[in-house]
Amino acid sequence: MTIRKRLLTEWTLSYLGEIARIEIPAVVPGTVHTDLMAQGLLRDIRIDGTEAEMEWIGNTDFIYRTTITDLAPGHSALLFHGLDTLADIYIDGELKLSTKNMHRSYELSLDAISAPFTLEVRFHAPLPEMIRLEKERGPLPNPYNRPYNIIRKMACSYGWDWGPITLSSGIWKPVELITYHEDRIIDVQVIADFQEEATLKVTPHVIGSEMLFLAINGRNYALLPNQMNELTIPDIKPWNPRGYGEQSLYDITISSENDSWSSRVGFRHIELHDAVTDGRREFAPAINGQRIAFKGVNWIPDDPFPSRITRAQYQAKLENLQALGVNAIRVWGGGIYESDDFYQLCDEMGFLVWQDFLFACAAYSEDPETMAEVEAEARENVKRLSKYASLFMWCGNNECLEGHQNWGWEDELQGRPWGATYYFDLLPQLVTKLDPSRIYIPGSPFAVDSDDVMSELSGTNHIWDVWNRRKYQGYETYTPSLAAEFGYNGPGSWNTLTRSLANKEISPKNSELVIHQKAFKGMENIENGLAWEFTNPPRDGVLWYFAAQLVQARAVETGVKHFRTLYPTCSGTFLWQFNDMWPALSWAVLDSDSQRKLAWYSLRSAYDELVLHCDGPARDVKILNVGPARSEELHIQLVDSSGAVISERRETISLPERGVYQRSFDFPLNAGTYVIADCAGIRTTRYALDEPIPALATGDCDLDISQEGLEVILKVSANNFIVDLCLLAELVDKDLVVNQQRVTLLPGESTIFRVLTPSTEHAKQLLAAPAGLLFSQNSLS
């Protein structure tokens, strides 16, 4: 019988302190940082810790140690699922294995070892070794002047324009002690497809077995070991993405005489939809013959220390994505290949997953050692992830092609290789051999029909002059084939940020707050955005916080709605970004405490089944209807700064099935006026001109507040024109969930805010001071 035992307990961690060697208990899987936190020796960067207090860790060697007291008869091995990153493995003081890649596993045979014995995993400080390697090989271009592209370690652990520098070491995935006698299943690769009938390609890698058996959907099949077995499985329903059908999944078990392996699979067929329309090549997958319109987000590692991300944490985040209406997730190339929990949940919930290989924004060495590590890493992860129905595309890198083409790398490279062999040769060859059921592209951005990777006529597009150099209305000058990266930066929730600051002061002049803004010229760009949006923007405090979140929310709404209403020539959007890993001012719509920023509500609106947008300088009315054809009433108003109607039109319109309705807006657009469009219970409001907005009169409203159980209900009745009315319940507590934000009310109109609270005490706090939590554009006078 094969026995797999995780070595979870009785580890110690030791390191040389300022005076003497320090030894503390350790948890595996884990990291140096999390073990130090558990002993009270380090604050959590995710709460109130700082980069400065943990800087020493990246320059320090550490040793994990445990004792294995006995080994069962037969063969034994240690399987290290993930070591971060530069490690030497010793048994009773003798070096047995060295590792240099965080993103793959390593196995060590124990057949010549007798128990008991001491197991040590000695981690070399990453930063000195990377600096040494950089000097030895020559520097390679990257945007952060840190050698994150030297070895195979999570790139964003060196810091990114939204995240902290951590540079941890540790046994970040489980260690298994495997014992067996006659046979063992090492791994199984499964590729499921569905074209009129369901097919299953199964390659079991085994030791010592001449025949295996597969059970699925009430049937059994014989398998030959160590080769690909192709089976046709009857009575199977296809797996479909969210919004396109059911997510049918089937349990599968493969067994030998003494071992077994189990998983779940979904059967679906993936093709690239690349029809040419109006001279533009569309870029989208077709799943089971249905072309997909993306409502996507970019996903970064959900914790600076991925070892502590639990299945429950993944599930909560993915449920949040369900609430947003998202149907696709891009796992970004500067992070990790996520755990099996993530992809299993995506299968169950119907999210499509675009998976980057782990290269980001830099040139990478093609020396033989690195090439071998990349091949081993890619081979292992392609085989591991091929069984998941949700995975639809592999992508060679993030912005490395763009960097080579547009970021001035030539002088630094001096003709040296920069990674092209990975993206155009090694990786596509591996995908073709190991996982031919998926789409592969060499990088993003990438143009199918042009040598210019930034071409909008085909492929995937990243749009970053908006935010970095232009105001958010600049999105409406773009017509991408697929908007794969774009976003606008703003502060995380009030409680998340103030908890991380000793002085609790929210101000762009507060150096403590500025530390949490990692974007290049980030605070300056927020200030520019406020100046572009308002004639008299606030400078600090809660009004600055509200205004910065409001501009981010308007940018998200404008960009996503514009790109979605370009359908079918634009296949949709992947907003940068969904989540945050620490208290930050960033592009995330959900902060590190899972608090919904105002941009979250804008994204939910923009990802609705019916999208209503007043587009471009002319404010043309565009409506994307994702469902069947229907008739609706469209009401358009042009109002002045008091809300008085200048012009209006009501008409019944026909919305096409999965198509876009467009109507020119022919009212005169002048300073001080607003366009309001209503259709099918949805309202959108925009200032008439793309210029700073004059102050409005202070919002005047009547409030009626009540309580039903743990829900507080606030009815707001407007006595004057109120634009983008928000209820900032986070000023009371972080665990209050509001049903809506950014409501525009004409005089005499009303709306209802519903706030779900975690306790009666929280409800009492909210009942006591609702007026002080209401903010709107009117507040910014």
Side-chain angles (χ1 to χ4, degrees):
M1 199 67 185
T2 300
I3 301 171
R4 294 174 173 84
K5 177 186 176 182
R6 289 192 173 187
L7 304 182
L8 300 175
T9 59
E10 299 182 0
W11 288 86
T12 61
L13 174 68
S14 63
Y15 61 98
L16 184 62
E18 292 183 2
I19 301 174
R21 180 160 291 276
I22 298 170
E23 184 170 280
I24 60 174
V27 173
V28 171
T31 70
V32 168
H33 287 74
T34 54
D35 288 327
L36 291 168
M37 290 176 209
Q39 299 304 310
L41 300 173
L42 187 72
R43 292 184 299 173
D44 193 340
I45 193 73
R46 205 171 157 84
I47 300 173
D48 59 354
T50 67
E51 291 173 301
E53 68 189 274
M54 61 186 189
E55 184 178 356
W56 62 275
I57 294 173
N59 290 291
T60 304
D61 296 343
F62 293 89
I63 300 174
Y64 283 83
R65 184 181 292 109
T66 191
T67 299
I68 296 178
T69 56
D70 65 302
L71 295 174
H75 302 286
S76 298
L78 286 170
L79 179 57
F80 298 87
H81 286 272
L83 299 171
D84 180 13
T85 294
L86 301 170
D88 292 329
I89 298 166
Y90 287 79
I91 291 180
D92 285 340
E94 183 179 350
L95 177 63
K96 296 294 184 180
L97 178 67
S98 295
T99 75
K100 296 182 178 181
N101 191 333
M102 175 182 179
H103 306 301
R104 55 167 291 203
S105 63
Y106 295 86
E107 183 168 312
L108 174 61
S109 173
L110 299 178
D111 282 354
I113 306 298
S114 299
F117 62 84
T118 299
L119 172 65
E120 291 183 338
V121 184
R122 302 179 186 178
F123 286 95
H124 300 283
L127 193 56
E129 178 63 12
M130 291 171 195
I131 291 172
R132 184 191 70 78
L133 287 171
E134 186 179 49
K135 289 179 179 178
E136 179 183 296
R137 298 174 182 175
L140 291 169
N142 74 70
Y144 296 107
N145 296 317
R146 301 181 198 115
Y148 72 82
N149 47 338
I150 294 294
I151 64 169
R152 303 302 297 157
K153 182 176 173 67
M154 184 172 79
C156 62
S157 67
Y158 297 75
W160 217 259
D161 57 6
W162 37 257
I165 301 170
T166 53
L167 282 180
S168 195
S169 295
I171 306 173
W172 79 286
K173 287 187 176 183
V175 180
E176 282 186 312
L177 175 60
I178 302 172
T179 58
Y180 65 98
H181 284 276
E182 301 299 329
D183 59 75
R184 170 189 163 199
I185 298 175
I186 299 172
D187 64 55
V188 178
Q189 185 181 8
V190 175
I191 301 173
D193 204 347
F194 193 98
Q195 296 185 73
E196 298 183 354
E197 58 186 6
T199 59
L200 198 62
K201 294 179 180 179
V202 185
T203 307
H205 298 95
V206 305
I207 297 173
S209 180
E210 296 182 0
M211 183 61 69
L212 299 98
F213 296 93
L214 180 149
I216 184 172
N217 203 27
R219 288 179 166 82
N220 294 294
Y221 302 85
L223 299 178
L224 294 174
N226 302 313
Q227 59 183 283
M228 194 264 285
N229 299 258
E230 187 163 1
L231 308 172
T232 299
I233 314 294
D235 303 323
I236 293 292
K237 295 180 181 179
W239 180 95
N240 295 283
R242 285 175 52 79
Y244 293 85
E246 295 182 2
Q247 289 80 56
S248 300
L249 293 168
Y250 296 86
D251 293 324
I252 177 175
T253 298
I254 294 170
S255 56
S256 65
E257 185 175 350
N258 295 294
D259 203 359
S260 65
W261 175 96
S262 298
S263 188
R264 300 182 82 196
V265 296
F267 294 81
R268 77 289 171 272
H269 185 64
I270 302 172
E271 294 178 295
L272 179 62
H273 175 92
D274 59 354
V276 176
T277 303
D278 297 331
R280 305 174 60 86
R281 187 174 299 279
E282 300 170 23
F283 187 88
I287 310 294
N288 303 325
Q290 299 184 90
R291 183 234 172 120
I292 305 300
F294 290 116
K295 298 188 291 181
V297 293
N298 282 270
W299 174 282
I300 65 170
D302 204 42
D303 193 293
F305 313 108
S307 62
R308 61 180 179 179
I309 303 175
T310 63
R311 186 182 181 92
Q313 184 174 331
Y314 279 127
Q315 181 160 347
K317 289 294 170 70
L318 294 175
E319 287 173 352
N320 192 286
L321 285 173
Q322 285 181 317
L324 278 169
V326 164
N327 65 10
I329 303 168
R330 177 191 177 211
V331 180
W332 168 76
I336 59 173
Y337 304 100
E338 297 290 342
S339 78
D340 288 294
D341 287 334
F342 173 85
Y343 303 97
Q344 289 167 7
L345 289 166
C346 287
D347 277 6
E348 293 169 11
M349 297 183 182
F351 294 108
L352 288 169
V353 178
W354 157 354
Q355 177 69 58
D356 280 1
F357 287 102
L358 301 186
F359 301 89
C361 304
Y364 288 84
S365 173
E366 296 180 15
D367 66 276
E369 182 180 65
T370 304
M371 187 80 72
E373 285 294 342
V374 168
E375 181 172 359
E377 164 196 322
R379 185 180 295 275
E380 177 177 324
N381 284 286
V382 170
K383 288 166 62 177
R384 176 174 72 94
L385 300 182
S386 65
K387 60 182 171 287
Y388 295 113
S390 51
L391 178 61
F392 78 93
M393 186 165 76
W394 290 99
C395 175
N397 68 79
N398 173 75
E399 294 185 351
C400 299
L401 305 183
E402 179 186 356
H404 182 258
Q405 190 170 98
N406 297 326
W407 296 355
W409 290 0
E410 290 82 0
D411 290 343
E412 190 170 347
L413 285 170
Q414 293 290 304
R416 288 179 296 155
W418 54 277
T421 302
Y422 302 131
Y423 318 134
F424 294 103
D425 296 318
L426 175 63
L427 296 175
Q429 288 171 14
L430 283 174
V431 171
T432 298
K433 180 180 179 180
L434 299 174
D435 192 12
S437 72
R438 264 87 179 189
I439 299 165
Y440 174 84
I441 60 173
S444 188
F446 171 70
V448 177
D449 293 333
S450 173
D451 292 333
D452 178 7
V453 299
M454 304 299 286
S455 170
E456 296 180 66
L457 297 178
S458 63
T460 70
N461 301 108
H462 294 196
I463 299 168
W464 284 114
D465 62 336
V466 177
W467 156 256
N468 283 309
R469 297 182 298 278
R470 301 173 65 193
K471 55 188 177 181
Y472 66 78
Q473 291 87 347
Y475 288 133
E476 294 170 314
T477 66
Y478 282 93
T479 55
S481 292
L482 173 62
E485 264 197 36
F486 65 100
Y488 206 92
N489 186 295
S493 76
W494 183 269
N495 274 281
T496 303
L497 287 177
T498 54
R499 184 187 61 189
S500 70
L501 307 175
N503 60 20
K504 310 301 180 190
E505 181 187 359
I506 300 293
S507 167
K509 299 181 179 65
N510 178 8
S511 60
E512 283 189 55
L513 181 68
V514 171
I515 288 172
H516 291 258
Q517 170 63 276
K518 290 294 186 178
F520 301 116
K521 297 183 178 179
M523 301 309 285
E524 179 183 333
N525 287 347
I526 286 180
E527 294 304 302
N528 288 339
L530 294 175
W532 289 331
E533 191 74 358
F534 308 112
T535 55
N536 187 27
R539 300 300 178 189
D540 54 26
V542 69
L543 285 180
W544 179 88
Y545 160 80
F546 167 69
Q549 277 219 7
L550 180 59
V551 173
Q552 182 192 19
R554 289 177 173 177
V556 167
E557 176 186 36
T558 300
V560 174
K561 285 186 173 182
H562 169 70
F563 297 138
R564 289 197 72 202
T565 54
L566 295 175
Y567 185 86
T569 56
C570 178
S571 296
T573 56
F574 284 82
L575 181 74
W576 188 273
Q577 69 212 58
F578 168 62
N579 54 329
D580 251 336
M581 62 162 56
W582 76 316
L585 298 92
S586 82
W587 296 270
V589 298
L590 193 77
D591 80 3
S592 58
D593 272 354
S594 294
Q595 302 305 295
R596 298 172 176 180
K597 298 162 72 170
L598 296 183
W600 186 96
Y601 296 88
S602 293
L603 186 60
R604 183 180 65 177
S605 171
Y607 277 164
D608 203 343
E609 295 296 284
L610 188 136
V611 177
L612 176 61
H613 183 46
C614 296
D615 191 71
R619 301 300 189 252
D620 291 340
V621 175
K622 292 183 178 179
I623 304 174
L624 170 65
N625 177 38
V626 175
R630 59 201 268 200
S631 295
E632 294 288 351
E633 182 179 78
L634 173 64
H635 183 201
I636 308 172
Q637 301 175 82
L638 184 69
V639 304
D640 65 17
S641 60
S642 71
V645 177
I646 300 169
S647 303
E648 69 176 323
R649 180 185 297 112
R650 290 182 186 269
E651 57 188 337
T652 300
I653 62 172
S654 296
L655 300 177
E657 179 179 4
R658 286 193 179 271
V660 177
Y661 167 90
Q662 183 168 347
R663 195 189 199 293
S664 296
F665 189 92
D666 52 10
F667 297 154
L669 301 177
N670 299 310
T673 63
Y674 293 78
V675 179
I676 300 176
D678 293 272
C679 184
I682 298 171
R683 168 172 287 182
T684 190
T685 303
R686 282 193 78 175
Y687 187 61
L689 303 179
D690 291 342
E691 61 182 37
I693 306 170
L696 288 169
T698 302
D700 179 19
C701 56
D702 297 323
L703 305 182
D704 182 12
I705 192 165
S706 59
Q707 183 178 354
E708 294 181 3
L710 294 179
E711 188 173 60
V712 173
I713 302 164
L714 178 63
K715 181 178 180 181
V716 181
S717 300
N719 298 317
N720 64 350
F721 184 39
I722 301 178
V723 176
D724 275 345
L725 180 65
C726 301
L727 179 64
L728 301 189
E730 70 261 34
L731 299 179
V732 170
D733 191 88
K734 70 181 182 68
D735 292 321
L736 307 183
V737 181
V738 185
N739 67 319
Q740 63 173 348
Q741 300 285 15
R742 296 188 59 217
V743 180
T744 292
L745 298 174
L746 292 167
E749 293 182 336
S750 61
T751 193
I752 293 177
F753 290 98
R754 295 180 176 272
V755 186
L756 186 62
T757 68
S759 69
T760 54
E761 185 60 36
H762 288 89
K764 287 179 183 178
Q765 288 181 275
L766 190 58
L767 289 166
L773 305 177
L774 288 172
F775 293 82
S776 65
Q777 184 177 298
N778 306 63
S779 308
L780 304 175
S781 301

